[in-house]
């Protein structure tokens, strides 16, 4: 493959990535929390960027609550333990509620919804829902990692002295384990971010700490949304 073709292919992946509304939202989220880290809650340009980007992101999330509402009423894979099913459905319900209430917050901040006091109250309630959904996500990922670990050990035992990394099923399970570990780290970071936004521990989780965790969590989200590279053609 020539340099031009390689460049064209790489740019094609960038176009695919940026065409995703979710990807653009996460890039804006990284800017938002990066600005929060720089401002440390103090007035100035960085805080203005933080606030304006936060408001802009709410437009990306309009009607997004339907996604988790759909997941809430969708059947779960067979064999999923009941506790994980309940945690997963709780996550969907809480996240859908957060995204729905977030729309009212957006209406309040744009002046369309006039009751600012109620909008602020709903905004705080929405953050509690988001924190709850992040806790549920963390617990689900821990449970699924436990199941994957048991499955991998069983597969290793069955293969005995054979080269495990030549086994496609084994490689797929390892890859899945890495993905879930990353999702667990992100969910844990989001719990800290929610704590900071709600000011539940203002002396420990300062705006700078909130910004740092939010920025790192956003980078993980951006990474998770990266398109997979096309496999090179073999002749």
């Amino acid at each position: 493959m020539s340099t031009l073709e390689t460049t064209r292919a790489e740019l094609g992946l960038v176009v695919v990535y940026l065409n995703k509304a979710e990807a653009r939202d996460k890039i804006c989220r990284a800017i938002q929390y990066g600005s929060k880290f720089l401002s440390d809650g103090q007035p100035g340009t960085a805080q203005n960027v933080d606030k304006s980007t936060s408001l802009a992101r709410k437009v990306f999330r309009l009607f997004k609550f339907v996604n988790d509402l759909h997941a809430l009423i969708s059947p779960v894979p067979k064999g999923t333990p009941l506790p994980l099913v309940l945690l997963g459905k709780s996550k969907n319900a809480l996240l859908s509620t957060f995204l729905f209430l977030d729309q009212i917050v957006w209406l309040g901040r744009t002046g369309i919804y006039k009751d600012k006091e109620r909008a602020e109250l709903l905004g705080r309630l929405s953050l509690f829902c988001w924190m709850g959904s992040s806790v549920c996500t963390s617990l689900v990922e821990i449970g699924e990692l436990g199941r994957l670990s048991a499955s991998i050990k069983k597969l290793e035992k069955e293969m005995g002295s054979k080269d495990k990394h030549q086994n496609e099923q084994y490689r797929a399970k390892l890859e899945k384990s890495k993905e879930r570990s990353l999702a667990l780290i992100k969910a844990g970071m989001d719990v800290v971010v929610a704590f900071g936004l709600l000011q539940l521990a203002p002396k420990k989780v300062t705006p700078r700490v909130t910004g740092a965790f939010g920025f790192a969590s956003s980078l993980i989200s951006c990474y998770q949304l990266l398109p997979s590279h096309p496999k090179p053609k073999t002749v």
Side-chain angles (χ1 to χ4, degrees), residues 157-174:
K157 191 175 180 180
E158 289 174 357
M159 287 190 291
S161 59
K162 294 179 182 177
D163 187 356
K164 302 174 184 65
H165 293 281
Q166 295 297 321
N167 186 290
E168 190 175 338
Q169 187 181 2
Y170 182 81
R171 291 200 308 271
K173 287 182 182 293
L174 281 182

Side-chain angles (χ1 to χ4, degrees), residues 12-157:
L13 291 174
V14 173
V15 170
V16 169
Y17 184 73
L18 294 177
N19 277 341
K20 297 178 182 178
E22 186 75 9
R24 293 197 300 274
D25 175 49
K26 297 311 177 188
I27 291 170
C28 288
R29 188 177 190 262
I31 294 169
Q32 175 193 343
Y33 284 105
S35 300
K36 186 179 288 292
F37 172 79
L38 293 173
S39 72
D40 195 22
Q42 301 303 314
T45 304
Q47 190 181 69
N48 292 339
V49 172
D50 172 16
K51 289 181 177 180
S52 61
T53 310
S54 173
L55 187 61
R57 285 186 61 229
K58 294 184 187 303
V59 179
F60 283 113
R61 299 200 296 260
L62 287 176
F63 303 108
K64 194 180 172 183
F65 70 92
V66 175
N67 294 356
D68 278 278
L69 191 61
H70 180 263
L72 179 63
I73 61 176
S74 297
V76 297
K78 289 183 179 180
T80 306
L82 182 59
L84 290 183
V85 172
L86 294 175
L87 283 169
K89 295 301 181 182
S90 297
K91 180 203 80 171
N92 294 139
L94 287 166
L95 194 54
S96 183
T97 304
F98 158 68
L99 291 167
F100 177 76
L101 293 176
D102 201 47
Q103 295 182 141
I104 300 174
V105 175
W106 174 72
L107 291 172
R109 290 184 183 175
T110 53
I112 298 171
Y113 184 67
K114 302 300 182 183
D115 193 338
K116 290 188 176 180
E117 188 176 337
R118 178 165 291 184
E120 289 300 318
L121 180 64
L122 291 175
R124 190 166 175 81
L125 179 60
S126 74
L127 287 173
F128 273 110
C129 289
W130 180 51
M131 184 170 68
S133 73
S134 297
V135 171
C136 288
T137 301
S138 299
L139 295 173
V140 167
E141 296 303 338
I142 289 170
E144 291 292 358
L145 280 168
R147 293 177 70 203
L148 266 174
S149 178
S151 177
I152 289 171
K153 286 178 180 177
K154 184 181 177 182
L155 195 58
E156 287 175 343
K157 191 175 180 180

